[in-house]
């Protein structure tokens, strides 16, 4: 059973940066696409970024494209989300998750229903 633990959230001023980490244990995630998601208060969970199991393909929500970068270090069983030029509307709890099937050749960002093994989330608050 894989467990995912997110960290790196916090309070930051608009225009600032944060780097989120997601460490997996219990299972190597090197064969799985990984995703970052966020859920703002009172809103549905939305996809933010996805990286293929090989790391060769990345996908982003339009709202974060050019500001956020997803990456992975399979040797460390870890996925990262570098967030730059943060805006107040980026405020949310951020979650990571793994694709339900290994070595997926899915194209595109996908949605929460395509993922499993959710972490507990890390709060990101951006003040104006």
């Amino acid at each position: 059973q894989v467990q995912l633990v997110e960290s790196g959230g916090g309070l930051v001023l608009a225009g600032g940066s944060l780097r989120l980490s997601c460490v997996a244990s219990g299972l190597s995630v090197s064969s799985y696409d990984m995703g970052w998601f966020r859920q703002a208060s009172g809103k549905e969970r939305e996809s933010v970024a996805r990286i293929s199991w090989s790391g060769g393909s990345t996908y982003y929500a339009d709202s974060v494209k050019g500001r956020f970068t997803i990456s992975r270090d399979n040797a460390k069983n870890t996925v990262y989300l570098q967030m730059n030029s943060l805006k107040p509307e980026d405020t949310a709890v951020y979650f990571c998750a793994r694709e339900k099937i290994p070595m997926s050749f899915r194209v595109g960002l996908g949605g929460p229903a395509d993922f499993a093994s959710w972490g507990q989330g890390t709060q990101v608050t951006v003040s104006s």
Side-chain angles (χ1 to χ4, degrees), residues 10-61:
L11 174 63
V12 64
L13 292 174
S17 298
L18 285 173
R19 188 194 194 202
L20 306 185
S21 298
C22 170
V23 180
S25 61
L27 176 72
S28 170
V29 294
S30 62
S31 298
Y32 292 88
D33 289 15
M34 298 294 292
W36 281 99
F37 304 80
R38 67 186 182 186
Q39 188 166 16
S41 180
K43 296 187 178 181
E44 293 188 354
R45 191 169 299 188
E46 62 175 355
S47 300
V48 174
R50 176 172 151 257
I51 186 167
S52 63
W53 56 274
S54 66
S57 297
T58 56
Y59 307 91
Y60 298 93

Side-chain angles (χ1 to χ4, degrees), residues 108-128:
L109 190 58
D114 301 317
F115 289 79
S117 303
W118 295 87
Q120 84 290 345
T122 185
Q123 176 71 47
V124 171
T125 303
V126 184
S127 64
S128 57

